[in-house]
Amino acid sequence: MSVDDEVGRGERSREPRTDLFGDGASLDPNGDLTSALGRKPHDQELRVWATMPLDRRQKALPRIATLRRWTEAPGEMTAAEAAQEAGVAVSRFYELAAAWKASPGLDSVGALAKRPGRKGTKLEADVHSLLQKILPGVVEAQRDEKKVSVVVTALMAHEALQGVKLPHVNTLRAMVQRERRRRKGEEQVGTRPAFDAVACDHLKDDGTPHLIFAVVDRTSRLVLGYSLGDLADSRAAYARAARDALERIQRADGSLPWSDLTERVDVIVGEDGASWRRMQAEYQAAPIGPLFGLVETDGRYGRYFRLVAGKALGNMRIWPSRTGTGFAVEGGNRLSDAEAMAAIEIEIARHNEHVMAQSTADGAARPAPQTVRMLDFIAAREARPSQTR
């Protein structure tokens, strides 16, 4: 019997009595469910949560994180990676993702999600799609409105929703609040930083490309810090990039719109995976905060660079497909490490200036303490001294 079926059977066999349960503080005392969902759980979610055995809660929480990441930050992970994180087959993950998009909540995380064909109370997919299409425009039009209830009223009054059977007002409130959070964090700095490596136009003496190792900020699209290095020792290269980021943050002196928290950090791992896995265990044992993920799948290099910059940083092409392949060319623009650093500096500055010119984000004047702790942790773990910055 699968975990999904077992949990479903357990849920049906012990439907909780409402009058036996207290409020959210007693049903979710540590705030685990609230934190995972990013909102206040509905009463039914709290009741189900209170009756779930610990092992099933431990399966549900990471699935929620994966489903939120899949839907809220599209393009950051493949379906295979998401399925692996969720602990299900790829085909099953697509079912979960569809259920989550239709109704993001505890009953859609796999351990409780209803299989296709079962009756349920989920918001009809077409109504949900219509709401999702309308919601950003309504929230944008009401961006100066402080009260969520006023925005919900404006949403319900939208001409496209007249005559449509809408979900409960609390569900609409949750959707508005989630959209507001998404918009607020969309261009803020530090919400989801990542470490990525990619080949660039500039060549080493042997004709292979210099490799840029950088702290790439996925929400603001800024490159916060970088270094040159080798995939065989990505840990040292990323440590230098983290130190560079910390120095640049200090020099920025309040000029960037920082997020109030870092949700997660992901590392595109080089060829030193064992070192990173030991480091991940050390990180998880320390009270730092953000989720720390390692990406070791094929085709991983340049993933986050592509997300924030497309095919070029400033006027410099980047080459994900050439990264780690030993690709070499005859002739070309061959530069020493110092010369390459100077050339790359100009193009990253050009990229960042372009990003900031387009940004309308507001945020804190300083990064969150957990953001700095994360960068400090990475920066302090250089495996061995190096002359390369």
Side-chain angles (χ1 to χ4, degrees), residues 70 78-84 86-97:
W70 177 259
T78 65
E81 291 168 345
Q84 184 178 16
V88 296
V90 174
S91 59
R92 177 62 175 144
F93 178 77
Y94 279 121
E95 291 180 6
L96 301 186

Side-chain angles (χ1 to χ4, degrees), residues 82-342:
Q84 184 178 16
E85 282 195 7
V88 296
V90 174
S91 59
R92 177 62 175 144
F93 178 77
Y94 279 121
E95 291 180 6
L96 301 186
W100 181 266
K101 288 179 181 179
S103 180
L106 183 59
D107 63 341
S108 300
V109 301
L112 298 170
K114 296 175 177 62
R115 302 284 187 173
R118 292 186 184 178
K119 292 183 179 180
T121 60
K122 293 186 187 300
L123 182 63
E124 291 294 334
D126 55 347
V127 176
H128 176 80
S129 297
L130 182 58
L131 281 167
Q132 291 295 87
K133 181 179 180 180
I134 293 169
L135 186 59
V138 173
V139 172
E140 169 61 20
Q142 300 286 333
R143 61 183 178 276
D144 296 326
E145 177 54 57
K146 303 295 185 184
K147 295 182 178 179
V148 174
S149 59
V150 174
V151 183
V152 171
T153 299
L155 177 64
M156 296 171 68
H158 194 282
E159 59 182 2
L161 296 176
Q162 300 312 298
V164 175
K165 184 178 179 181
L166 297 175
H168 191 276
V169 66
N170 286 344
T171 300
L172 296 178
R173 285 181 62 88
M175 293 179 71
V176 168
Q177 290 169 329
R178 187 161 55 249
E179 175 62 15
R180 279 184 159 183
R181 286 194 300 271
R182 186 193 69 78
R183 293 177 67 84
K184 180 180 179 181
E186 192 172 17
E187 294 183 345
Q188 286 183 328
V189 186
T191 306
R192 292 195 307 278
F195 290 80
D196 196 5
V198 74
C200 69
D201 277 339
H202 304 304
L203 304 178
K204 301 177 185 179
D205 288 340
D206 61 3
T208 61
H210 281 285
L211 301 185
I212 305 172
F213 291 77
V215 186
V216 178
D217 194 62
R218 289 171 280 185
T219 46
S220 68
R221 296 176 46 237
L222 295 172
V223 177
L224 298 178
Y226 74 100
S227 74
L228 298 180
D230 298 310
L231 294 174
D233 194 9
S234 66
R235 176 170 165 167
Y238 285 138
R240 294 191 296 273
R243 282 203 302 273
D244 185 46
L246 288 166
E247 292 170 4
R248 291 171 188 270
I249 289 168
Q250 188 173 18
R251 292 199 300 269
D253 193 26
S255 63
L256 298 178
W258 287 95
S259 172
D260 292 332
L261 80 165
T262 291
E263 295 176 352
R264 66 176 296 125
V265 57
D266 292 282
V267 177
I268 300 294
V269 176
E271 296 169 356
D272 49 347
S275 176
W276 276 105
R277 288 188 287 277
R278 289 192 298 270
M279 189 169 168
Q280 183 185 46
E282 184 182 351
Y283 179 97
Q284 291 171 341
I288 294 175
L291 291 172
F292 185 95
L294 301 181
V295 181
E296 300 185 69
T297 53
D298 293 339
R300 60 191 179 273
Y301 300 123
R303 173 180 302 183
Y304 301 128
F305 275 108
R306 284 196 302 265
L307 189 68
V308 306
K311 297 181 179 179
L313 285 166
N315 295 329
M316 177 184 64
R317 286 290 303 271
I318 54 176
W319 301 95
S321 62
R322 297 179 182 178
T323 309
T325 64
F327 175 87
V329 298
E330 297 293 334
N333 188 23
R334 303 191 181 211
L335 302 176
S336 68
D337 285 352
E339 291 170 333
M341 287 292 294

